[in-house]
Amino acid sequence: MIIEPKVREYICTTAHPQGCAEGVRNQAEYACKQGEVKGTKKALIIGCSTGYGLASRICALENCGADTLGIMFERQANGRRTATPGWYNTAEFHHLAAEKGAYAKTINGDAFSREIKEKAIELIRKDMGKVDLVVYSLAAPRRTDAEGKTWSSCLKTTEEAFTEKSLDLRNNQITEKTVEPATEEEVLSTVKVMGGEDWADWIDALKAADVLTENAVTVAYSYIGPELTYPIYYHGTIGTAKQHLQKTMTEINQAYPDVRAVISVNKGLVTQASAAIPVVPLYFAILYKVMKKAGNHENCIQQIARLFTQKLYTPKGFQTDENGFIRMDDYELMPEIQEEVKKCWKAVTTDTVKEYCDIDGYWEDFYHMFGFRYEDIDYTQDIEAEVEIDGIV
């Protein structure tokens, strides 16, 4: 199969197996250089195949020497199309773990379902005994709950309509976008998908099955962002879901004194989801430019390696703020960074997009998610797209 990037709107419909594998190797090499810490030895990563979840699985292996069980929802290749990038990422991670003599198995299915929870518990009990770390890193547009009802998330405000500058990534034009307010049903539905209910369901199930060690840690990932994006994000439907996640953290800690639940508030990074959010792509493109100039921009693996080695597993315990959050967005929200972002935001026009925005960096990260960045890959070469995973369940 000849594999080239095919982008429709904000979605890439192909993935390159060699590029994805190289990306995993590069992340592992970076994490390894950050040194070892006394941390997890047996980890469950829910949402393990891309982004922060994949980086967490890599850091659990490289920085802690951990055995890992992953949960993903990915598609294999067939004769007409490639696999999803998470499939290729996971295949390479399994190779990496095997080289290091570490246990690695992955369950492919709907992490929201009771069936997958039961399958995970069975595997943990059979192969690992108990786990001491549960990372919750799910990003999904919809969820079917235990009663069979399907909920869909939406990106809207929760107050009045909001109008602001935005960046049309198809042509690099500065436009103006209006986001309408959500109904009560839409707010509830977004909370059901992106809030903490399923995180709590996982911890309840794992505790009931007695497959968590004493003093086990569970980390969920979140994003708050700056005041600039509050109307569309933190004060919008997604923000309402993230506030529910915070409430869930407190409830888990109260229900299980021998479990430590914590939220890591991460830096804004390019994802397929963020590319489609009005306002946010322009903010990210400006932020990338400002932070790279300041020398404190972090990509996904840099952030999670810092989380594992400097914030999560330290001699003094978790490094948290007054809300009990680990703040990995600390560099992003530095006053001098945000002041510069605001100046650029006011000044940017279509004619000055490249002056104030890191457009190339934005698209580089976008294509990198699908394995399409590496100069040593020949995109005219006929390669095998059907990659098997040894250890898939």
Side-chain angles (χ1 to χ4, degrees):
M1 183 183 292
I2 305 297
I3 302 175
E4 295 180 310
K6 295 180 181 179
V7 178
R8 289 201 314 261
E9 294 286 329
Y10 309 110
I11 298 172
C12 187
T13 59
T14 54
H16 201 289
Q18 292 176 2
C20 290
E22 187 68 22
V24 170
R25 291 283 168 172
N26 287 346
Q27 290 187 67
E29 182 181 354
Y30 176 85
C32 185
K33 289 178 180 177
Q34 309 315 302
E36 295 182 3
V37 292
K38 188 178 179 181
T40 178
K41 291 304 176 188
K42 296 181 186 294
L44 170 65
I45 315 294
I46 304 164
C48 69
S49 55
T50 61
Y52 287 124
L54 174 63
S56 301
R57 197 174 193 186
I58 290 170
C59 289
L61 174 67
E62 296 290 345
N63 301 117
C64 305
D67 295 334
T68 61
L69 173 63
I71 313 293
M72 69 177 188
F73 200 14
E74 302 291 349
R75 186 192 70 234
Q76 286 182 267
N78 59 32
R80 294 173 290 106
R81 62 184 181 184
T82 70
T84 50
W87 182 272
Y88 296 134
N89 291 340
T90 301
E92 192 61 27
F93 177 84
H94 278 229
H95 292 153
L96 190 68
E99 290 168 12
K100 292 181 174 291
Y103 172 93
K105 285 189 179 179
T106 302
I107 298 171
N108 191 30
D110 181 4
F112 292 128
S113 72
R114 182 66 199 176
E115 175 192 357
I116 296 302
K117 291 178 177 69
E118 290 174 351
K119 188 176 286 190
I121 288 167
E122 180 183 343
L123 264 180
I124 293 169
R125 188 180 283 134
K126 173 176 171 287
D127 294 349
M128 306 171 82
K130 298 185 179 186
V131 294
D132 55 44
L133 173 67
V134 179
V135 173
Y136 190 83
S137 183
L138 281 189
R142 63 190 60 85
R143 169 191 171 212
T144 300
D145 63 21
E147 285 70 47
K149 180 176 175 60
T150 298
W151 305 87
S152 296
S153 64
C154 71
L155 188 98
K156 293 187 176 183
T157 70
T158 53
E159 297 175 0
E160 67 268 7
F162 173 66
T163 301
E164 187 49 279
K165 280 182 178 178
S166 192
L167 174 64
D168 188 334
L169 290 163
R170 295 167 296 185
N171 53 24
N172 294 338
Q173 300 282 311
I174 298 298
T175 62
E176 199 173 69
K177 289 286 187 180
T178 298
V179 181
E180 299 297 332
T183 64
E184 289 185 9
E185 178 67 18
E186 287 173 324
V187 174
L188 173 62
S189 192
T190 304
V191 170
K192 286 285 187 179
V193 177
M194 304 183 72
E197 190 171 83
D198 185 62
W199 183 25
D201 286 349
W202 268 99
I203 302 305
D204 288 345
L206 294 167
K207 280 295 292 182
D210 193 27
V211 291
L212 291 180
T213 65
E214 187 177 358
N215 299 318
V217 173
T218 181
V219 183
Y221 293 139
S222 187
Y223 180 69
I224 293 176
E227 291 184 14
L228 185 66
T229 63
Y230 272 12
I232 185 61
Y233 203 96
Y234 193 63
H235 291 161
T237 51
I238 294 180
T240 304
K242 298 305 183 184
Q243 290 157 36
H244 185 272
L245 194 71
Q246 179 182 1
K247 178 172 173 284
T248 302
M249 177 188 77
T250 301
E251 290 172 349
I252 291 173
N253 283 324
Q254 290 174 344
Y256 305 113
D258 61 340
V259 174
R260 180 73 190 276
V262 66
I263 289 172
S264 176
V265 182
N266 297 340
K267 170 182 176 287
L269 289 174
V270 175
T271 64
Q272 282 196 79
S274 69
I277 303 174
V279 182
V280 170
L282 177 58
Y283 168 71
F284 282 177
I286 293 173
L287 180 71
Y288 272 36
K289 187 97 169 183
V290 171
M291 293 190 74
K292 286 179 180 179
K293 184 178 179 181
N296 60 4
H297 173 74
E298 289 178 319
N299 61 24
C300 196
I301 192 64
Q302 289 171 328
Q303 208 168 147
I304 298 304
R306 183 162 67 95
L307 168 66
F308 270 66
T309 61
Q310 299 181 32
K311 300 278 186 117
L312 188 62
Y313 294 117
T314 76
K316 297 181 180 179
F318 298 167
Q319 304 300 300
T320 60
D321 67 5
E322 65 278 5
N323 294 311
F325 296 162
I326 296 176
R327 300 306 295 256
M328 299 310 301
D329 61 349
D330 47 357
Y331 296 166
E332 175 183 352
L333 298 185
M334 290 171 64
E336 57 269 34
I337 294 293
Q338 286 303 313
E339 281 303 313
E340 186 62 27
V341 168
K342 288 176 185 176
K343 289 178 185 177
C344 295
W345 184 274
K346 290 179 181 178
V348 68
T349 65
T350 295
D351 293 335
T352 59
V353 161
K354 293 202 172 180
E355 179 183 348
Y356 294 107
C357 299
D358 183 15
I359 299 294
D360 290 341
Y362 191 101
W363 280 112
E364 182 181 45
D365 276 12
F366 178 87
Y367 282 109
H368 174 62
M369 290 188 292
F370 303 91
F372 292 113
R373 189 175 70 171
Y374 300 96
E375 294 178 359
D376 59 337
I377 293 175
D378 180 3
Y379 294 132
T380 65
Q381 186 179 21
D382 188 6
I383 67 168
E384 179 58 58
E386 295 189 20
V387 175
E388 297 297 324
I389 301 178
D390 183 21
I392 195 75
V393 179

